[in-house]
Amino acid sequence: MGGVVSTPRDEAGGAEEHGEHLLGVFVGERAQDLSSPFWHKLLSLSVSFHWPEETVNQACAALVQNNRHTAHLAKLLIHLGWSLQEIASASPGTHITAVKVINATQFLRVVLQYFLRHAKGDAIGEAFTLHLNDFDAEFIHLPKGKLSVPSMVLPALLSFIGSSDINPNSYLLQLELVNLLLVMMSTQLYSGPAEGPVGAHPFLDAAIMQESALVGPFVRKLLLSYIARLPIPSEAVYHASLLKGKQIGVFRKMSSAAASVLMLPYYTYSYLVSPTAGSNISKFPLADNSLHLLLVLNHYGKSLVDASLDTVVELSRDDATAGLDASLYPSNPFRQALESARDTDFDLVDIVENGQGSSVVKIPFAALYDRIGMCLSDDSSILLLYSLVHGNPAFLEYVLVRTDLDTLLMPVLEMLYNAPRRSANQIYMLLIILLILSQDSSFNASIHKLLLPGVSWYKERLLPQISLGSLMVVILIRTVKYNLSRLRDVFLHTNCLAILANMAPHMHQLNAYASQRLVSLFDMLARKYARLTDDAITRISALKSGQVEGMEVPDDMPTELHIYTDFLRIVLEIINAILTYALPRNPEVIYALLHRQELFQPFRDHPRFYELLENVYTVLDFFNVRMDDQQMDKEWSVERVLQLIVTTARSWRGDGMKTFTQLRFTYEEELHPEEFFVPYVWQLVVSHSGIQWDLEAISLFQARPNNEVSYCF
């Protein structure tokens, strides 16, 4: 076996030889019973020795080959569960139990990651189904037969994390367990966009079968870890190198670290390994990976085998599509826990009366709101915010009644402002969040009442005393302009216009710059529409006259024209909504329309636009007449025109205006959202978890080295 000793040695030999012997037995061909003293020896290693990376890889390869006969992976998982139970019930200062937990956790993280990467076919499902013989069955007090090890071990992991305090004393142990769970769930990385055969994700499948009473405290603890955002303890600075993915000496570190994980008062160890200079490792790995784990579990979409039909049925929100009783589907308890979370200050009487009781996750919404606001430059925080405002009505209501909406919205708007430096996924999620918020009329009213002293990151011009609502209009229109010139994404256009349409009836004192940008948005889309129209006419004319042989009108030309016709109509409906419901409150919009009224003339007789433009011209004619009635010796100035608009608007009654159905856009998640979210979440885990992944083996998405790590401080 090369560098791994696979035959027994005299245990009186050196510590390193003794360790190599135990490693050789673990990955070797001879099976050890669950009750064998071997497991205690393996997990109680507390000496410092060095196993090179080559040795570790050879050991892992041997385990993949031999595990089908020895079932050592499953047995080690069981011993981890027992060790967690021991440490949970042990008196403080039981150092040997701490060593066993850390050793088991890190052994498993290394070998599981290798195993899940290299195991073929049904080997993954088989590896974690233990066939109990008479002796092992009697030892663990279970019937003889098959035992699903993930179903047995995951409750211990979830329970331990859910019941442990978040403090520097338990930091490393919590981090190692969270990282182990991430590795357990990583079967999705290697199964590709499809979920794979039944049993391909044994740990994920076992996770969603857990009871809400167990899942609730676990989800709460992950959220509290994210909120607390504790830095890695100074005593454990060595861990940054471990997180960087250095496999050399990984087992050496794990045993020596165990005691300090719990900061036992009589056991000290001085860490000599420093983080690599210039590394991008997060200062808050427990908070970051707790959130990663929560997102992985929250977005798991499961397939289920229906025994009566012997077919795999895709779970969806629409059970009519699946054609089966929804009661057959195992709901995702992690998603349910997140969506049912309530504020710690909330009166829980109604919840208890509705039968939810103690299973409800209680989180300090104020601290969660502030933490998300500080961390919105991170994709994971964006996804968490999306999950909460979309799925949790209580948190959405909490956000909508906050008077400091700028805490969340300013980071969102700044990221949209810097769209060229953001990923398409980030932009999509940010716009969806704004769309969800804009569905509420109180939100649309509140953002126009909140004045900002300035916007330091907006470089094109100074924006003193601008309302949050006006800034949103400016940024959304800027995003449309960027998309028109770079991305050309219809979905992005549609979302931006939908948000503006929801805001339009509630706009209040839109400032001059935002009003000008609104009119320029119509101009920008009109120019694009005109170019498409001219291009289509030219091509068709050339074809009819036979001037160009082989020329064809592109198939998507009518579609693109139709799309931009719809966009122009939405912009006109936005303007109409302002004129119909908020004209006296928006003199700057009237000024902008008067200033560039010639833009609308080419569309006045267009069959799709003329009704909407009738309202625009009704307003323009009303104010043009009032201006013509004024006898002025001097030229019109901006101030005088605005003063006249404000005065004249008081007598506006809306006579002759046609009332159209008010546009209101709502967000609905697609039928299979996991097709988008699962790859997205795992990209974040691979890039930012600090765990070393084999990029070439990933089939869920196209992986490539990425050294850009975005963390908040």
Side-chain angles (χ1 to χ4, degrees), residues 495-510:
N495 268 356
C496 288
L497 295 178
I499 298 166
L500 290 169
N502 286 346
M503 293 170 59
H506 310 280
M507 288 184 183
H508 183 86
Q509 295 298 329
L510 207 63

Side-chain angles (χ1 to χ4, degrees), residues 363-567:
I363 292 292
F365 278 3
L368 182 58
Y369 179 92
D370 291 338
R371 176 58 66 199
I372 291 174
M374 288 187 282
C375 297
L376 270 180
S377 60
D378 174 22
D379 290 71
S380 300
S381 294
I382 295 173
L383 283 177
L384 176 61
L385 178 58
Y386 163 79
S387 298
L388 289 169
V389 299
H390 175 252
N392 189 316
F395 187 80
L396 175 59
E397 182 180 354
Y398 177 84
V399 171
L400 295 174
V401 300
R402 289 280 296 222
T403 57
D404 59 341
L405 284 167
D406 53 316
T407 299
L408 284 185
L409 293 187
M410 287 300 283
V412 170
L413 297 178
E414 183 176 3
M415 283 186 282
L416 290 176
Y417 175 78
N418 293 313
R421 287 181 280 176
R422 298 293 172 182
S423 68
N425 285 347
Q426 270 190 334
I427 297 173
Y428 293 154
M429 296 311 303
L430 293 171
L431 290 176
I432 289 171
I433 290 168
L434 291 180
L435 178 58
I436 293 171
L437 295 175
S438 73
Q439 293 169 192
D440 184 82
S441 57
S442 65
F443 168 84
N444 294 321
S446 297
I447 57 177
H448 290 284
K449 297 175 183 177
L450 203 162
L451 286 179
L452 306 170
V455 186
S456 60
W457 43 261
Y458 196 91
K459 304 301 181 184
E460 281 77 358
R461 61 183 296 159
L462 294 175
L463 297 175
Q465 294 300 311
I466 185 174
S467 71
L468 186 57
S470 292
L471 181 61
M472 270 188 67
V473 171
V474 170
I475 297 301
L476 288 169
I477 293 173
R478 191 177 188 275
T479 304
V480 172
K481 183 177 180 181
Y482 167 72
N483 181 54
L484 191 63
S485 62
R486 301 282 188 87
L487 301 180
R488 301 178 183 177
D489 188 320
V490 173
F491 175 82
L492 194 150
H493 267 345
T494 303
N495 268 356
C496 288
L497 295 178
I499 298 166
L500 290 169
N502 286 346
M503 293 170 59
H506 310 280
M507 288 184 183
H508 183 86
Q509 295 298 329
L510 207 63
N511 83 340
Y513 186 53
S515 302
Q516 294 163 16
R517 300 306 296 161
L518 183 60
V519 176
S520 71
L521 173 62
F522 179 86
D523 182 29
M524 179 172 55
L525 294 175
R527 290 173 185 270
K528 176 68 173 178
Y529 174 84
R531 285 196 297 271
L532 289 171
T533 303
D534 292 343
D535 196 23
I537 293 173
T538 301
R539 288 172 179 268
I540 293 172
S541 298
L543 282 173
K544 288 182 177 180
S545 62
Q547 295 175 2
V548 181
E549 295 182 1
M551 175 180 283
E552 296 181 359
V553 178
D555 293 338
D556 62 345
M557 181 68 76
T559 302
E560 196 169 8
L561 267 175
H562 179 73
I563 289 171
Y564 276 89
T565 302
D566 288 343
F567 286 161

